[in-house]
Amino acid sequence: MRKFALASLLIFLCNPLDASTFRGDLRYMQSPFSPLEQAATVGLDFDRAWGRLSALGRFTHSLVDFQSVDLMGEYRYSFREVVGARIRALHRNRFRQTSATTWYGAFADFTPRLAFASFYFSFGGYLSMHRVASPALFLVLNPSFTEVNFALTTGVGVHFMGRNEIRVVLSTIDSVEVHNPNHPFLEVAWLRKNPTWALKTYVRYHALLGFGREQAWVAGAEIAAL
């Protein structure tokens, strides 16, 4: 029985017909009092009749040293790509600060589409468990402190020339991490989608509305092989 379960899992993960989408993202972030950071993200999306499973990893480093590693898993179910729900688990190990955080989040999505525009709305909440001065390889089970907060996205995209879109979004929900409401970002992006690939280039400004990380500028590009 164990061999059958292991074989089924390997087929599920490795069969190229099941791996519907490969995603890669490269971004640079500049903060006023921190060195330039580079983050590389790679992942796979697996489509099923009962939803989509996503697994992504993000590796962040600066000109000085290695910063952090993020591992994220997400399940999403949507009806006609308009109404959907997601649950997400994310773990981050920080090497400079010798700390770790595990997030658990749930979000509802509403994405109505017209011939010339799309609208993006998401709302949900998350629990984050932080361990200070001690790393945790996979999950934080005995946190130094915890945090419960909300997360949201609102935005609009304008379609032009068939497969192109200009999108403006105000959000605290990234493709991997979830930001504190005191640290939202405003993103302007250009998207191009073809039958076999999709490209997104974007610029973000992370604001600082209260306690949290410092403000920052982010520029990056994401490509997906469909």
Side-chain angles (χ1 to χ4, degrees):
M1 186 66 181
R2 291 182 179 179
K3 293 182 178 179
F4 176 77
L6 179 60
S8 299
L9 178 62
L10 290 174
I11 292 173
F12 178 87
L13 294 177
C14 300
N15 189 342
L17 297 177
D18 290 336
S20 61
T21 304
F22 167 81
R23 282 193 279 165
D25 181 288
L26 181 65
R27 65 178 59 172
Y28 293 87
M29 182 173 70
Q30 181 65 64
S31 302
F33 305 105
S34 300
L36 180 69
E37 292 184 359
Q38 181 190 66
T41 305
V42 293
L44 287 171
D45 297 327
F46 300 90
D47 282 319
R48 295 293 188 275
W50 36 263
R52 167 175 286 190
L53 290 174
S54 300
L56 288 90
R58 174 171 291 170
F59 311 91
T60 303
H61 66 89
S62 68
L63 300 177
V64 179
D65 52 18
F66 209 59
Q67 297 282 330
S68 62
V69 172
D70 297 350
L71 300 175
M72 189 274 282
E74 182 179 85
Y75 167 72
R76 182 175 189 266
Y77 180 81
S78 65
F79 178 72
R80 298 184 183 274
E81 297 295 326
V82 176
V83 179
R86 291 177 284 160
I87 55 174
R88 177 185 296 186
L90 166 67
H91 181 71
R92 169 178 293 170
N93 264 313
R94 302 177 186 86
F95 299 100
R96 283 189 64 190
Q97 302 171 350
T98 318
S99 62
T101 303
T102 300
W103 285 266
Y104 301 99
F107 316 103
D109 304 315
F110 180 52
T111 313
R113 289 179 170 85
L114 303 176
F116 61 91
S118 296
F119 301 89
Y120 302 92
F121 304 99
S122 296
F123 185 80
Y126 66 90
L127 166 68
S128 56
M129 307 169 66
H130 305 268
R131 181 189 289 183
V132 180
S134 177
L137 186 59
F138 292 112
L139 295 174
V140 174
L141 299 177
N142 52 342
S144 304
F145 65 95
T146 61
E147 176 189 4
V148 177
N149 226 318
F150 68 91
L152 57 85
T153 295
T154 180
V156 61
V158 178
H159 309 153
F160 66 98
M161 297 177 63
R163 301 180 184 273
N164 295 274
E165 179 183 348
I166 295 294
R167 184 182 300 174
V168 180
V169 171
L170 177 64
S171 180
T172 62
I173 307 173
D174 178 64
S175 59
V176 173
E177 60 187 308
V178 183
H179 298 281
N180 186 284
N182 291 329
H183 197 50
F185 62 84
L186 178 66
E187 177 182 282
V188 179
W190 168 68
L191 299 93
R192 167 81 180 182
K193 188 172 184 179
N194 283 311
T196 57
W197 59 269
L199 175 66
K200 172 186 175 183
T201 59
Y202 57 90
V203 176
R204 289 180 182 176
Y205 173 69
H206 280 267
L208 180 59
L209 304 181
F211 177 78
R213 294 191 62 179
E214 57 193 80
Q215 58 187 352
W217 286 95
V218 178
E222 177 181 337
I223 190 167
L226 307 177

